[in-house]
Amino acid sequence: MSNVVDIQHKEQSPPLPTNHETLLEVKDLKTYYPVKGGFFRRTVGHVKAVDGVSFTLKKGETLGLVGESGCGKSTAGRTILKLLKPTGGSIVFNGEDITKIRGGRLRERRKDFQMVFQDPYASLNPMQMVGDIVSEPIKNYYPRKKAKEIKQEVMELLNRVGLPDDAYYKYAHEFSGGQRQRIGIARALALKPKLIIADEPVSALDVSVQSQVLNLLNELQDDFNLTYLFIAHDLSVVKHMSDKIGIMYLGHIVEIADKKSIYEEPLHPYTQALISAVPEPNPKKKKERIVLEGDVPSPENPPSGCPFHTRCPVAVDKCSTIKPELKEVKPGRQVACILVD
Amino acid sequence: ACSNGEDEAGAAEDDKKETEGNEGGEKAAQEGGTIVYALDAAPEGLFHWNWYGIQTDAEVLGLFDDNLITFDEELKPQPNIASWETEDNKVFTFKFQEGVKWHNGDELTVHDWVFSLETLAHPDYEGPRYTNVQTVEGAEAFRNGEADSISGLEVINDYEIKITFDKARVNNLLNLWTYPMNRKAFEGIEVADMEGSDPVRRTPIGTGPFKVNKVVSGESVELVANEDYWQGKPKLDKIIIKVVDSTAVTGALQNGDIDVVSVHPTIGKDVEAMENVDLVTAPGLSYYYVGFKLGKFDNEKKEVVEQKEKYADKKLRQAMMHSINREEWIEAFFGGYGDVVNRPVPTAHWIAADNDDLNTYPYDPEKAKEILDEAGYVDTNDDGFREDPNGDEFVVNFSHYATGNPTFESRAKALTQYWEEVGLKSTLEMIEVNQYYDMVEKDNENMEAFFGGWGYGADPDPSGLWKSDQLWNYPRWVNEESDQLLEDALDVEIVGTDEAKRKELYVKWQQIVNEELPMLFITELQEIYGMNKRVGGLTLDVSGFNSAHEWFVTE
Amino acid sequence: MAEVINDTSITKIKVQKSLSPWAVARRKFLRNKLAMVSLFFLMTVSILSFLAPYITTADITRVNIGSMSLTPSSEHWFGTDKSGRDVFTRLLYGGRVSLLVGISCTLLIITFGTLIGALAGFFGGIVDALLMRFTDFILNFPLLVFVIVLNAVFFGKLGGVPVLIAVISVLGWGGVARLVRSKILSEKENEYILAAISIGSRPAKVIMKHLLPNVLSTIIVQATLTFAAMIVVESGLSYLGFGVPAETPSWGNMLAASREPDVLQNMPWIWIPPALTLVITILSINFIGEGIKDALNPKSLR
Amino acid sequence: MNNFTDLQSQPPLLEVNNLETAFEIDGEWHNAVDNVSFQVKPKQVIGVVGESGCGKSVMSLSIMKLLPKGIGKIRNGDIKFNGINLEKLNDKEMNKVRGKDIAMIFQEPMTSLNPVFTIGFQLSESLHNHFNISKKDARKKVIHLLDKVGISRPEKVVDEYPHQLSGGMRQRVMIAMAIACEPKLLIADEPTTALDVTVQAQILELLQELQTTNDMSIILITHDLGVVAESCHEVIVMYAGEVVEQTDVVTLFESPKHPYTQLLMQSIPRMDQEEEVLASIEGIVPSLKNMPRQGCKFVDRCPKAMDECRSITPQLRESSPGHGVKCLLYETSWEQEGMKAK
Amino acid sequence: MLKYTLRRILGMIPMLLLISIVVFSLALSMPGDPFGGEIDPNNTDPQYIEEMREKAGLNDPVHVQYGRWISNFMQGDFGESTRYKMPVAELIGERMPNTLFLGITSLVITYILAFVMGMYAGRKPYTTADNLIGGVNYLGLAVPSYIAGVFAIYFFSFKLGWFPFSGSVDITLQNGSFEYYLSRLHHVFLPAIVLGALGTASYTQFLRNDIIESSRKDYVRTARAKGTPETKIYNKHILRNSIIPLITFLGFDIVTLISGAIITEAIFTYPGIGQLFLDSINNRDYPVMMTLTMMFSFLVLFGNMIADLLYGIVDPRIRVD
Ligand SMILES: Nc1ncnc2c1ncn2[C@@H]1O[C@H](COP(=O)(O)OP(=O)(O)OP(=O)(O)O)[C@@H](O)[C@H]1O
Ligand SMILES: Nc1ncnc2c1ncn2[C@@H]1O[C@H](COP(=O)(O)OP(=O)(O)OP(=O)(O)O)[C@@H](O)[C@H]1O
Ligand SMILES: [Mg+2]
Ligand SMILES: [Mg+2]
Ligand code: NI
């Protein structure tokens, strides 16, 4: 198996034109966190952080995942990268089912999918020099590569993400948030992965810096022929970045469609509310806001039936009993709501 | 003890006289008053003679409960509450003083004594004192439940009793338990429960000059004067007995917080130097020695079953004795409050042999070396230390017990240094005290030369420590002549009631021990008490304090 | 900022290397006057103590009956004790034992505690549960009480300092294990650990390169605290007579002399030097610990 | 949002003139707020926008006189509330103003409530501080307030502790606390930054409603231009402690003048339009210690910077009526002045 | 809460059993036995000692001895002290009040001092007074209790005569009278301070730092913004938060106090549990030693439990129902 991968790696080197081949397919993914309790620290329940998420991602495409805090976006991202153990469902990456693989084989796969993390402060080891941070993945996979070559490569990478040369010998704490996020991006790029999952890469950044990072990510996508799973809670950012958008609520994807349709014609009541809630920097435009009642329920004991029915302005009785499936209502549009047909 | 330093020697002498011969006339006694009597270890709180276990408890007991007989300065028994007569050392008639009252108002009669003796002989009695009635006729039978009473106890009237022993012995009287028990106080208490009962622990009563008023467990006891004391009303109102940590003793003495306290020899000098405190000394009854393991004892067979060669040569032991500068050692580690001793009997005891009749083993390293050379212990390999006569390495492996006391180590170390000076290589091992005696008793292989101490009672008979069939003959010394002499000295047939004859045998025995030196006798310690100058009427001799009713305080 | 010029053949350009967090901490520490004075004192005491055999030739065990309890003089700087032994010499030798016990216990406790804590924290699950139950078990033995009891058991049989060290260490590591575990657990939450896994680092590497360096500061600070505590424990036990055997000089044993009233009141030169040395040593260690803590404080790293 | 033009003519409720607030860093005092002046009219909602660290919070804390003691102080300028000079008041007098006349809510609803006291206690404390009110009445009032800010089951919530509430509810509680004494001015320091969009919408809605019913003025601090556009009448744009642009909301969004404002607006992705590349402001806000002493503080990041920008400090000038800008591009007189300086 | 408490208590049982095995094997492996030691030939003879050994069951097989011991132990029969010849329970019962009194006084002093100093230093950090308090604290942390005790006796008892140097009460006073309690307090004061010195120092330090930290918290700013007076902010808002961890220390204090009492009681000749423990070790009084060792271990467990429970009670955030 590993031979095949090696060959692929060589073949992949020149940028391939974007085709519509499926890179990632996630089916009914579930990730539960055990809740420990009592004196003997037994598992007394589960936080159903991700509870049945399915989507496919084509090569070169960007899928945006939005949702409120705690709805399971990060969990989903981490599970797909196998940083967490999935409770159920399957993840097929590049034609290979990676749901169950472990150990060395998993490590071998890891170089094809990488992550950019949310917190630019916590995601860089404060005890390492930037050079070491970025070269570590290369050293992990190409232990025989010469130090000089690695250094050369890392320097190029740092330059590519817009960091000065001397950054190599600095430590993370000497950089601003945006620069740190660049370091994190350089680290993710070091192995020339096919897929990058960006978990709220700009939510900790200031608006002015945010645009720098977003632009960088966009440039890199073209340069390196990357596929993104872009996670954010800011709808406008997601819309800017993505081709397709998935709306998450309480561990479920409630609607998934291309960004135009989502923005122009949201079908799920939650999507509608979400979009209407985004304040727009246009004082003249008067928007009709749908203000939702209450907060997101706890994923430890989610409501029965449709998870959104407790806050849904158009909910009917059935909503509390029937759990809606994500189904295709129009070509390329999937919605999980019994009221939408 | 004196105000100007020049006259120190003289003044110290004066003190001694004063404390020894003090009858209270010199100081102006005050009516009443309180003294604080300090103990440097907590009493266990077993305030009855029949159950007490440690010296501290005895110190308290001595203040509020009288013995039927007392002992003089030579430790010979003297009548106190009771006087006695005997013809054959088998049957004794005791006569009680009339009108002696218990603290609860009861009159003391011979029935109280019988009660006490029967308690000791009772099968449920768990204390260690059954041996003190065992020799009374019928005690065995009583203990085994075969008799309702001890047949040897024959009450003549309330104040007279005849006691018959199972056989005539020289030391029957000394062995007999002479502490009565108040019957009323113990009424209704089973013998098995007596030990923990109130009359023993919380509300003890006696016949002594002071009554126990209050006991604060582990810390203090309050005694108040017994107005009806049979020897006269005490001069003091109160004695407070208080436990004081040894660290605090000098400070407390100096500040006048405590009036009387037993002081350790090492601080004797400091106490002596205090202006407000007198130092009272009396000859002690214990001695320290260096023992040698000469054999191995079998406790089942009750005999020494194996001889050990290492210290078998008497000359070696004598040379080691000569090499110790005992005067210097005592001065250094006991502040001089001890005397060189050459025999296993304290000097104050009436059977003690005169030093003129014994070898005195003066400090003489040259002589020691000579003896060693003679005995074949010479340095053959020029390492500076002597080898044994076979030319093998010879090391004195000396053991000493360790408590928390730092002086133990240095005093033991000093002994080894003396030996090294005459060319005997020595090592020192400090062993935790509980384990130490276990090892000594079981003849542990690591025990070769060991430090120890014995206390001496009124009974002069040393058999328990010296006869070859005794577990506590720690040196495992076997000497037929010695065994014989010890037996003879107890034999009524031989000595009868003739004390001189008895002493003669003991002197002979001491000469043998002194010559053979199964242990090196080092020192006998003095009893020293610090006493605030305001306290008067208190005297101390080998048998302890005088009766506390004579004590007083000055203005 | 101290500039480190790096002109290796690889880059051929002069690059200004940044100070590593450790270097920053070191610099901050070196600037802390109190900590530096303390460090100087501690070093002096340690060096003097460990070089004691070369500094004085006196036989520390020898009892000198002729020169007992002498007041300080030019010959005996701190006087002599009741056995005629030179107090200064004994102070040095005592420091050897006290510091040795302190250091050995600290090393053992820290090593063992860290090991257990790191394993439990990193692997979690059943490993964690078992190790932590065990730690709880050990923690249930009050140190002082059990050292006293255990000492009573072992002394004489094996005897001396090694046993004391072993006993203290066996009973002492629980707290460190707990601390390290909780620190590892919280450090594990940091995304850089996830990042390390996602870039394919092996668990051993993750522990060694990412986790440990980040908990090391906690461990170092804990080590200084432990060191001070262990010296106190040793001296306290020796003072009570349950520590280092009486014949071995240690600060606690020397202080135990103050239990004798005449020494306490009239011969302060016997016990004041060890008391002061002990107190100042502990103070120094505490100050050094504070200094390290400050220096390693990540808040001031930025 | 009511009739906007009415406001212009009224006397200001709050008047801040030449405010300078400084912090001590390594023994030196650096201005975190530099020469800021503005007015708040009654019933006006004034928005303050700017990047992180530009001094928004420090400014509001200066108004409340809540700067950390010892390390922060007002160096210059005056703050007049309803004609009273606030910085002349002593602590005790200021306590009477705080919470009663001016109230404030903070960014972090999670940590801004004391975790060990009940909601009821913390709310009624505000009342007790300013009114002589019995416990029973206070409780009644508290329940009423909770109800008013849209908390269901207020009778239960009064006895609950902060950790039992969600972020949105806590922020509501904070708001209830702030309006308890019906203040005339509410300073809201990024009240919705930590919240989800749906909850943010709820909170903004609530603030607007309260503003009209209580006739409050609000200083709404945020870095979200969208929020400003939706909720404010007047906007202040801050950069590095200074006000760089100030005007009413419509003008600002239609014709931003300062390069910083312009870039800021172009750098955010928008829902209603499609942009391929976002504008971005290179570099970062200089830290207090590295702040340029002279010239425009934005100069290093400004695409339109001129040489003069480094030497001449621009002033806030009205480029058109009611539209203040602090940029040399809009200063006509700088050339002459610059000449004079030379 | 009740359920949780019960569960915690049940969870302690296996731990206690394990500990009991350890304690028992330790006692077994101790050199010497209570009937060894310095023997006075006038009072005892070897036969008697052997008899006593037999009677005490020291000659039985190990597991029989353990079984007997533990089953008696569970029934509250801790055996009889071989030294004091009375039931261990009674003996401990006699000494316990003293130690409790010492411990509680020490706690009260510790907490009062720590509060006064910590509050002050925390409110006015980096002032002279704060530095002074800090200095005192460092000393408190660095001076071992036995050195402190010796100095205290030396100065306060001998040189100044302010406090007694030994005992727990002046015996001449009537039990239960006012003077009696006064005297007890007088006696306990010095050892209590020495015993609490370490705690006082660390609590003061803790409180100070916590107050400084708390005073920067957002909720304090909120309180200020409400117009709450400064004193109320410190005495209510900040203190309440800082007290929570401090109160939970109380559980751990039980342990510290008891083991600290071993040294302090020895120095001040204060007849309590600590002294009894040392005594029992020195005299090989196994029943007492084993019972006390078990008791100390139990107290650790108990203290931890109390700490947990207290935490649950005082901190609304983790209140368990
Ligand atoms: N390690 C964990 N153990 C238990 N529960 C967890 C854990 N990590 C996350 N959760 C819970 O799982 C749910 C989903 O968390 P997740 O971090 O995936 O949300 P998110 O959508 O990424 O939120 P955010 O926008 O805040 O990052 C949350 O309710 C969270 O509390
Ligand atoms: N306590 C303080 N000590 C020193 N400097 C401070 C302090 N508080 C704020 N500053 C500095 O003052 C400047 C302005 O800070 P401020 O908190 O007002 O920014 P802000 O605009 O509110 O940012 P944000 O959007 O992140 O809340 C910053 O440079 C900050 O570093
Ligand atoms: Mg997330
Ligand atoms: Mg702010
Ligand atoms: Ni795009």
Side-chain angles (χ1 to χ4, degrees), chain A residues 3 20 52 61 75 81-82 84 105 108 125 129 152 157 170 172 184 231 236 243 250 260 283 285 296 301 305 321 335:
Chain A
N3 283 339
H20 288 271
E61 204 179 41
T75 308
L81 291 194
K82 289 298 299 286
L84 290 172
R105 252 181 81 196
E108 193 53 44
N125 185 347
M129 279 195 303
Q152 200 59 43
L157 265 172
K170 288 193 164 159
I231 297 173
S236 35
D243 306 312
L250 213 58
K260 199 154 178 273
K285 191 168 162 191
V296 190
N301 40 17
T321 48
V335 181

Side-chain angles (χ1 to χ4, degrees), chain C residues 88-125:
Chain C
F88 180 69
T89 313
R90 274 177 78 79
L91 192 64
L92 295 187
Y93 276 90
R96 230 152 97 100
V97 172
S98 291
L99 293 174
L100 186 78
V101 172
I103 289 175
S104 318
C105 290
T106 307
L107 282 181
L108 285 172
I109 284 176
I110 293 290
T111 314
F112 204 60
T114 305
L115 198 71
I116 300 275
L119 289 179
F122 186 76
F123 289 105

Side-chain angles (χ1 to χ4, degrees), chain A residues 62 218 221 239-243 259, chain D residues 274-276:
Chain A
T62 302
N218 270 335
Q221 182 165 39
K239 185 184 145 261
H240 174 74
M241 295 296 291
S242 321
D243 306 312
K259 65 174 163 185
Chain D
E274 200 48 56
E275 61 284 289
E276 206 36 54

Side-chain angles (χ1 to χ4, degrees), chain B residues 201 214 217 219 432 472, chain E residues 39 84 94 168 173 284:
Chain B
R201 302 194 150 268
K214 194 158 120 198
S217 172
E219 143 176 21
E432 201 276 329
W472 290 344
Chain E
I39 297 157
Y84 292 94
E94 221 168 56
S168 67
L173 297 168
R284 295 295 184 264

Side-chain angles (χ1 to χ4, degrees), chain D residues 23 25 32 51-58 68 71 107 190 223 288:
Chain D
F23 282 103
I25 300 166
E51 279 174 278
S52 184
C54 68
K56 306 183 295 289
S57 301
V58 173
I71 42 173
Q107 176 171 6
E190 314 205 19
H223 59 241
L288 284 190

